[in-house]
């Protein structure tokens, strides 16, 4: 398993106004993101850890889960984190016509807006599946796809100790956008091991900067 895939390296060749993989910063900073929430069991301990280590993150939420767990979403916003759009039902976007893809995104934006007041949000395609017709639509409408440059592989459901060794063997660099998921206990344990390490190394851990959602 490699944290930096060939796909993310290729996406870096596209203009950053269209696809964000890394973020330039004068600070020594890692940009932390979580997909597939909100989760009533695992998102709260993730938030506890972030608060304890003075860290913020971007949470890419699935639309049909947002209103099911409103207290979790309200807490994400109240504690200074950013909301992102991870589609309404987490489909492979390539299986849908373009209007179906845009409906998935628009419905989720509308639900998120009730919590943070933003009309649009950074969009991350489920499973990283980014069809050309969606990319072309975003290029025409001035929206940016919020991708990542560093994959924690926490969705592999491996023991946290194994994942920590993967990260230590090939650590993130300043400016990396880290992919994690707040829907399983291994991520919570992984995060508990990494946040103190990153802080000791002098990294700030922050949400992705606001872009063109």
């Amino acid at each position: 398993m490699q944290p930096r895939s060939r796909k993310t390296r290729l996406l870096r060749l596209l203009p950053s106004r269209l696809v964000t993989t890394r973020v330039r910063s004068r600070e020594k900073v890692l940009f932390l993101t979580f997909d597939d929430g909100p989760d009533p069991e695992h998102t709260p301990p993730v938030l506890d850890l972030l608060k304890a280590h003075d860290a913020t993150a971007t949470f890419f939420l699935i639309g049909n889960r947002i209103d099911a767990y409103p207290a979790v979403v309200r807490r994400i916003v109240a504690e200074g984190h950013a909301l992102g759009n991870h589609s309404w039902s987490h489909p492979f976007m390539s299986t849908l016509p373009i209007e179906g893809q845009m409906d998935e995104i628009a419905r989720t934006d509308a639900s998120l807006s009730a919590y943070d007041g933003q009309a649009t949000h950074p969009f991350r395609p489920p499973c990283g599946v980014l069809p050309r017709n969606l990319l072309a639509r975003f290029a025409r409408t001035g929206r940016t796809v919020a991708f990542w440059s560093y994959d924690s592989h926490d969705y592999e459901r491996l023991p946290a100790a194994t994942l920590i060794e993967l990260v230590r063997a090939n650590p993130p660099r300043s400016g990396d956008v880290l992919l994690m998921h707040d829907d399983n206990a291994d991520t919570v344990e992984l995060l508990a091991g990494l946040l103190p390490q990153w802080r000791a190394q002098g990294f700030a851990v922050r949400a992705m900067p606001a872009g063109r959602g």
Side-chain angles (χ1 to χ4, degrees):
M1 294 184 298
Q2 292 295 324
R4 295 182 178 85
S5 69
R6 182 174 181 271
K7 181 175 183 177
T8 56
R9 293 196 298 271
L10 289 173
L11 287 174
R12 286 190 65 187
L13 300 176
L14 296 175
S16 60
R17 66 181 181 274
L18 180 58
V19 180
T20 299
T21 55
R22 287 177 50 85
V23 178
R24 292 183 179 181
S25 176
R26 294 181 179 179
E27 297 181 82
K28 188 176 181 181
V29 58
L30 302 175
F31 296 95
L32 187 57
T33 68
F34 294 93
D35 288 6
D36 293 358
D39 185 280
E41 180 179 357
H42 300 112
T43 306
V46 166
L47 292 169
D48 291 342
L49 285 166
L50 294 174
K51 186 175 184 179
H53 293 278
D54 189 29
T56 56
T58 303
F59 288 80
F60 288 91
L61 304 184
I62 298 173
N64 62 20
R65 298 178 63 87
I66 292 169
D67 292 335
Y69 307 110
V72 180
V73 184
R74 285 195 294 267
R75 182 181 170 190
I76 291 171
V77 174
E79 295 186 1
H81 306 288
L83 299 181
N85 184 324
H86 200 42
S87 81
W88 183 260
S89 61
H90 204 271
F92 285 108
M93 299 298 268
S94 58
T95 66
L96 302 176
I98 185 59
E99 294 309 324
Q101 296 176 52
M102 297 309 297
D103 181 66
E104 285 271 337
I105 296 167
R107 291 177 70 189
T108 306
D109 271 338
S111 287
L112 291 169
S113 181
Y115 294 89
D116 67 1
Q118 302 297 315
T120 60
H121 300 80
F123 173 69
R124 174 170 288 169
C127 304
V129 176
L130 184 55
R132 291 182 180 178
N133 58 358
L134 179 59
L135 195 60
R137 179 66 65 92
F138 269 39
R140 288 198 299 271
T141 58
R143 290 192 69 156
T144 302
V145 177
F147 223 78
W148 62 86
S149 59
Y150 190 96
D151 185 349
S152 72
H153 288 278
D154 59 348
Y155 51 87
E156 301 279 0
R157 296 298 195 269
L158 296 170
T162 301
L163 295 171
I164 288 173
E165 287 306 311
L166 171 69
V167 174
R168 287 176 176 167
N170 197 341
R173 298 186 289 262
S174 184
D176 271 331
V177 175
L178 279 65
L179 171 66
M180 301 183 78
H181 297 76
D182 57 323
D183 64 348
N184 68 85
D186 288 322
T187 292
V188 177
E189 189 177 347
L190 173 64
L191 193 65
L194 291 176
L195 282 172
Q197 175 180 314
W198 290 335
R199 190 166 186 174
Q201 293 169 346
F203 286 108
V205 179
R206 296 290 176 255
M208 294 181 73
R212 299 181 306 169

